[in-house]
Every structure is written in C-alpha cells, then in structure tokens.
Amino acid sequence: MPTVSDFIIDRVQEWGVSRVFGYPGDGIGEFDGALGRAEKAGEGLEYIRPTHEELCSLMATAHAKFTGEVGVCIATSSPGAFHLMNGLYDAQMDNQPVVAIVGQQGLASAGTATLQENNLERVFADVAAYVQTVTTPQQAQVVVDTAFRTAIARRQPTVIVLPHDVQALDAEAPQPEHWVSRSSAKPASIEITPPADEIARMAKIINEGERVTFFVGAGAQGATAEVLEAARLAGAGIITALRGKDVISSDVAHHTQQLGLLGSLPSLHQMQRCDTLVMLGTNYPYGEFMPETGQARAVQVDLRPEHLGTRYPTELNLWGDVASTLRAVIPQLTEKTDLSWQEKVAEEMVGWEREMQAQAMVDYSDGVNPRRVFYELNERLPHGAIVTADAGTSADWYGHHIRLREGMRGDLSGRLATMMAAMPYALAAKFAYSDRTVVCTIGDGAFQMLGMNELITIKKYMHQWQSPQLIIVVLHNDDLAQVSWEMRTEDANPLWEGSQNVESVDYAGWAELVGFQGIRVKSDDEAAPAMEAALAHRGVTLIDAYVSKNVPPLPPHITAEFAKNTGMALLKGDPSAVNVIRDSAEALATQTAERVKGALHIGDR
C-alpha cells in the first residue's frame, strides 16, 4: 500500500520536478525511505545531497534561477529545517519559486517540548508565502498542490511540514466529502498583460521621450527579444541590474551593463540624462543612482505588484510580466529616426571598456590585480558558459569585467547578498547543464564558510556530468576585503584586523588533496595561462589567485563622502594604509588618464 510519502513524491513529479536537494535526518526519515524505494524502482527523483542543509536551499534557489523551474529542498525537523532559512530568504528576496519539504516530530508530540519539536509553521511564517503541516492523508494532495501553485504564481518560497508519523500513513485519495479538498497539479498562468488603456499610456510615454532608458532586471528573464525590439523602436539605451546581466547580451552596443557601485559610468550618465525611464522587472534598491525627482517620466512593469512605484515616483505602474506586456506595447511604438541618444550611449560604453581594460592592467606590488584575473577569465569564456559570483569583491569584479554574451548565464545572491552562495549556485548550474562550462568566482572568506566542503560534493557527483569541467576561482587575499572597504568608505573606520583577517590556506593544495587540478596564480602574467590551462582541462580546476586586498572597488563616480570617509579611516591608523594609499593612487591615476583620453577622442570627432 502506498504511503503519504509515496504519494507526495509522485505528486512532486507531476509538478515537473526531477531533481531535489536534500539532507537526511530522523524527522524526515520515512520520507527519505520512500525516496530510496522510488529510486530503486527507477521511478524516483534525482536526490542531490551536499554537505549542509543551507547548501540545499541555496542550490534549490539557484536551480530555480537558472532553469525557471521550481527548486525543491528537503531537510529534517528543527535543526535541519532551521539551516534552510538562509537559502529560503535568498529565494524570497530574489523572487524565486522554491518548495521546502521539512520533517517534524509526531503529531502527538506537538506542543510538548519533545526532542527537536518546534513550531515550524511559526518559524517559516516570515520567509514563506505558504506554510502548512500535513495532518491527514487526504490533506496531502491539496497542501502539495497549493505549495507549488503559490510558489510559481507569487515567485516565493513555500514550506510543507511533514510529521514523522503522517509520512508513514497509508495514502488516501481525497473524496467528495465536507472539509476535503480535491486539487489539481496545474499552475496558475503568470503571463499577465495589463489593460489596453494602460498599454496605450505606456506607448505614449515612450513615444514622447527623446532620451529613453530601459532599466532591465532579472524579472525580464525570457523577454530578451521583446526588450531589444522595444529598445530599437524607442532608440533607447539599456541598463541591466546585476541579476539581469544575462538578460541582454554584452554584444549589444547600447547596453551599458550595471548601475551603481558595481556599475559603469555610461549607466550613471544614462540615469542622470534620460528624460524617460522604463523599469522592466527590476526592484533596484539604490535610490541615489536613480534620476532626480521630476527629471524623467517613468514607467514600471513587474509581476510583483508590491514592487511597483517604490523606488522612483513613476507616472505609470503596470502589473504584468515583461514579455507579454512588451508584446502588447511594441505595435504601438513609433520608430525613432533620431538615434543620437542611443549612439552616444554606445560611444561612451566603448570608452568605459577601454578604462576597464586599463584598470585590469595596473601592476600592484602587494599581490595580483584581482581585476586582471576577471579580465583574463572574461576574454576566454566559451560559448554557453555559466558564471557565478559571491557577495564580496568578486561581485565588484564580476560587475565590472564579466561580459555575458548570447547563450551565457550568470547569477549571484541578489537582494540578500549572502556570502558563500557562489559555490552552491555553481553546483546547481552544473547539475542543470552538465555539458556546459561553469565558473565559480568566490573570495577566500566565503570559500572557508562552506565552499571548501563542496569540493567533496563535486567529487561525489562529477561522474554524472556530461562534461566534468568546473572552474573555481578563489580570490586569496587573507581578508574579508569587501567589508574592509565598506568599513572605510561607509563608516570612516580603519580596517580592524581582529574581524577582517582570514587565515591563509593553500586552496590549490586542498583541491589537489581531493583529486582536482590546482593552479596557483602569484603574478599578473600568470593569470592568462591559468585560465587557459583550466579551460583546456577536462575536469575540475581550482585557481588559487593570490590577489591584493587593497585594490579599491572604485565606483564610476567618487562622491565627496566616499573620499572623505576613506581619508578619515586611513588617518585613524588603518594597518593597510600605506598599501591602500598607493594602490588607490594607481587606480585613480589610471581612471583619470582613461577619461581624459576619452574626452579628447570625443572632442576630435
């Protein structure tokens, strides 16, 4: 007789799930047993078990991001369930459909303070759009279906709580009885098009603009063709939010990449000079980089209505998905003949790329230039490559130097910006697209959190991949560098070694110990050969890049506050003051020289 666990596994598969990320424990033991029986019968889910439950939820979130499918993670009761929280918040804050299935102690123990019994519905109430405990066999169907349907429609995580005794009960099909729901394993459509009058208003605003900018986020995933066509007709420049980087190819000349501290000067100039702003699937949080109030007429399109009109005083807010909304508005757009705005945007981007190359070639005396590492990686990325970045300085260099061309993908933990996500993201990408080259870029602090553990997971599963090529680039500077810079630039505090120092480890040696190729990069001219060797190797490579911790992650425009705070921090006795001053001076000199060249070039024209 099938059990409730057997039924749930079958129902999860009906929702199109073929792979789950889990970690076992007695609280979910009967369900795990059912997973094992199904696998033995050749009818089960692919079960990926990393080294920690937090990795399970981060991998489920990354799976949702890279595939568009629902990510599923599984854990035992209280301790395992609690470890899922960080990854589920990552899903919540980046609007991803993830379903967590967690164990619970038996129903009779509820509220008795027995071992590992906690109120999981209360625990998950903030992070999940839907949390429900299955208490009877007939209830299992509607709980599973509601969890999946809600996750898909609301782009949020949901949680199914399974008491241990309920997991083993005989399955029962729901009957046409009072209090019993018979549900369907069908999603609600999220292809939402706003009303015709709002579409007409959107077209009118864009048509009346002379300097139109499209600001494109990850919510525009799947709408690339529509965005490009609308931008062509409107003569618009395009900016992408960091998580929307792969929505628009870097080969598009009027795509100026990101905005803000991790962005480009042409993107900042677009925001400062545009008269019409069209926000497409983005909830960009940094208001200081947005246009001045009243400068630009603004339209926003988003599937999450609570995001509309929260970042800039928009004239028109449209609740809809980007692709169908643009398909409706495109026939009403008037093709612009004056493309001077778009051409100017593209021209500035040429100068910015020259500046980024020059910054990558600066020689620092206290370690490898981390920009050089990313520059050389970008120059060699193969077609279809997938790049992940962590929340530290790797995100800075990813934003500044990685150019995702058509067919490439890239992502990171966005609004949560949690450390250590780059490794589970890379593994989830590799499981989803095992024939493609995946590159994880991560700082040594994040790598020490749980990243080093995941070399073990890679070793366990790599034989399943069509291509075993996976490259991990560790920025080895013995410092939590991003936070060190934030201490200086945001709070005018000097680096505090007690909190910022990272114990040095031979990361390449660790990779070699596990059985992988390890490459050490200790000078700038070793960066390119290291990337070539990694890409030539049909296997796993860890590049241990001994980079300078003092290279400033310069924003495209240095504010007075940024400069003042940094200066005050150094005057207060920053232990790295000498190197910071020297490296910052080198970077600023290069920035100034390139911008003077660019100005002269434009003047010559």
Side-chain angles (χ1 to χ4, degrees):
M1 179 70 182
T3 66
V4 168
S5 294
D6 296 321
F7 167 80
I8 290 175
I9 292 166
D10 290 342
R11 199 66 169 185
V12 166
Q13 290 175 299
E14 283 190 59
W15 278 96
V17 175
S18 59
R19 179 181 300 114
V20 298
F21 305 93
Y23 203 93
D26 66 328
I28 196 72
E30 179 57 34
F31 186 78
D32 286 342
L35 285 169
R37 293 193 298 273
E39 180 186 72
K40 188 174 181 180
E43 301 171 351
L45 295 158
E46 182 184 8
Y47 182 84
I48 305 300
R49 199 214 74 194
T51 59
H52 195 282
E53 292 95 348
E54 183 176 350
L55 295 161
C56 295
S57 54
L58 286 167
M59 291 171 80
T61 299
H63 178 87
K65 288 180 176 182
F66 285 123
T67 67
E69 301 170 356
V70 179
V72 176
C73 52
I74 302 168
T76 189
S77 52
S78 298
F82 299 158
H83 284 157
L84 296 177
M85 294 294 285
N86 197 45
L88 294 181
Y89 271 108
D90 192 36
Q92 183 208 61
M93 297 176 74
D94 281 351
N95 308 305
Q96 296 303 311
V98 171
V99 174
I101 300 173
V102 299
Q104 176 63 289
Q105 301 308 301
L107 284 175
S109 71
T112 66
T114 194
L115 181 70
Q116 293 189 344
E117 184 265 325
N118 290 94
N119 187 334
L120 295 181
E121 290 192 6
R122 183 185 299 169
V123 167
F124 287 109
D126 182 66
V127 72
Y130 173 80
V131 187
Q132 187 58 56
T133 300
V134 178
T135 58
T136 71
Q138 288 196 75
Q139 185 197 15
Q141 183 188 87
V142 70
V143 171
V144 172
D145 290 344
T146 303
F148 275 87
R149 193 159 32 248
T150 302
I152 294 168
R154 296 186 60 184
R155 318 302 294 171
Q156 291 285 278
T158 60
V159 178
I160 301 167
V161 181
L162 288 180
H164 191 275
D165 48 357
V166 175
Q167 295 168 33
L169 295 177
D170 290 343
E172 295 180 34
Q175 300 301 313
E177 300 173 5
H178 189 54
W179 295 329
V180 176
S181 294
R182 290 167 289 162
S183 59
S184 69
K186 301 295 180 184
S189 173
I190 55 172
E191 189 171 317
I192 301 172
T193 306
D197 62 329
E198 294 189 356
I199 293 293
R201 286 180 62 197
M202 179 179 179
K204 185 174 186 293
I205 292 169
I206 295 174
N207 288 335
E208 291 174 350
E210 295 182 359
R211 299 181 303 280
V212 181
T213 288
F214 284 8
F215 193 7
V216 180
Q221 198 68 248
T224 300
E226 290 84 355
V227 173
L228 291 175
E229 176 61 8
R232 183 187 71 81
L233 293 169
I238 299 174
I239 300 170
T240 49
L242 192 61
R243 286 205 53 246
K245 191 178 183 74
D246 60 0
V247 176
I248 305 298
S249 170
S250 63
D251 291 332
V252 175
H254 49 280
H255 170 204
T256 59
Q257 297 289 314
Q258 285 69 69
L259 178 70
L261 296 176
L262 282 61
S264 72
L265 188 62
S267 290
L268 180 63
H269 284 168
Q270 279 204 70
M271 282 295 183
Q272 291 174 337
R273 299 165 184 169
C274 69
D275 64 13
T276 307
L277 177 63
V278 182
M279 300 173 66
L280 301 169
T282 180
N283 188 30
Y284 181 78
Y286 301 108
E288 65 269 31
F289 297 103
M290 299 290 278
E292 292 291 329
T293 301
Q295 169 197 317
R297 302 177 71 183
V299 177
Q300 187 173 0
V301 180
D302 208 292
L303 260 179
R304 297 289 304 278
E306 62 270 31
H307 290 171
L308 294 168
T310 61
R311 303 301 187 192
Y312 187 77
T314 44
E315 181 176 335
L316 180 64
N317 294 314
L318 292 91
W319 181 12
D321 74 284
V322 173
S324 64
T325 301
L326 288 180
R327 283 196 295 269
V329 83
I330 283 170
Q332 301 184 45
L333 295 180
T334 303
E335 184 172 356
K336 285 194 169 57
T337 56
D338 180 1
L339 299 180
S340 57
W341 166 252
Q342 195 178 73
E343 290 167 353
K344 174 65 174 175
V345 165
E347 184 180 38
E348 282 200 26
M349 193 59 188
V350 172
W352 177 257
E353 295 291 38
R354 188 172 56 242
E355 181 177 324
M356 288 299 94
Q357 180 179 6
Q359 289 285 9
M361 297 303 160
V362 175
D363 184 17
Y364 296 104
S365 60
D366 52 348
V368 175
N369 184 347
R371 290 180 177 272
R372 180 70 174 270
V373 174
F374 278 73
Y375 174 83
E376 301 294 357
L377 168 63
N378 181 68
E379 288 291 291
R380 293 162 177 79
L381 283 175
H383 176 74
I386 303 172
V387 183
T388 68
D390 217 80
T393 53
S394 66
D396 296 319
W397 317 134
Y398 169 81
H400 284 170
H401 295 282
I402 296 299
R403 300 292 178 257
L404 299 174
R405 298 170 286 283
E406 186 174 358
M408 295 181 181
R409 297 295 308 275
D411 219 325
L412 72 172
S413 173
R415 197 155 60 93
L416 182 63
T418 182
M419 286 180 67
M420 189 271 300
M423 275 293 281
Y425 271 45
L427 265 68
K430 193 65 180 176
F431 281 116
Y433 306 103
S434 70
D435 60 326
R436 295 167 69 169
T437 298
V438 175
V439 182
C440 167
T441 65
I442 189 168
D444 49 4
F447 194 59
Q448 285 190 14
M449 279 185 162
L450 288 173
M452 294 175 73
N453 294 14
E454 284 312 275
L455 296 184
I456 302 169
T457 303
I458 294 169
K459 183 176 182 180
K460 178 179 179 180
Y461 290 104
M462 62 183 291
H463 69 279
Q464 299 179 10
W465 299 337
Q466 188 173 336
S467 166
Q469 188 173 77
L470 176 65
I471 300 167
I472 302 152
V473 180
V474 179
L475 302 181
H476 186 164
N477 55 20
D478 304 332
D479 185 72
L480 299 176
Q482 184 78 358
V483 179
S484 295
W485 277 103
E486 288 168 346
M487 290 175 73
R488 298 178 182 116
T489 62
E490 294 180 10
D491 303 311
N493 283 321
L495 179 148
W496 177 34
E497 292 179 321
S499 70
Q500 299 308 108
N501 283 4
V502 174
E503 184 66 23
S504 188
V505 173
D506 181 2
Y507 301 108
W510 174 253
E512 291 163 349
L513 182 66
V514 180
F516 303 148
Q517 175 175 246
I519 301 176
R520 296 163 183 83
V521 174
K522 295 188 175 182
S523 66
D524 287 358
D525 59 6
E526 291 176 345
M531 296 303 169
E532 290 172 0
L535 289 165
H537 178 58
R538 186 173 170 80
V540 179
T541 300
L542 187 146
I543 297 175
D544 190 354
Y546 288 72
V547 298
S548 169
K549 66 181 180 180
N550 299 311
V551 177
L554 291 177
H557 172 69
I558 298 175
T559 64
E561 182 183 20
F562 182 102
K564 176 185 175 184
N565 286 346
T566 303
M568 290 177 63
L570 299 178
L571 289 172
K572 292 176 182 177
D574 192 301
S576 298
V578 173
N579 289 334
V580 167
I581 292 169
R582 183 185 61 241
D583 291 357
S584 296
E586 290 274 6
L588 283 168
T590 302
Q591 181 186 82
T592 302
E594 290 302 318
R595 293 185 184 180
V596 168
K597 286 180 188 177
L600 290 173
H601 172 72
I602 293 170
D604 290 342
R605 290 181 56 138

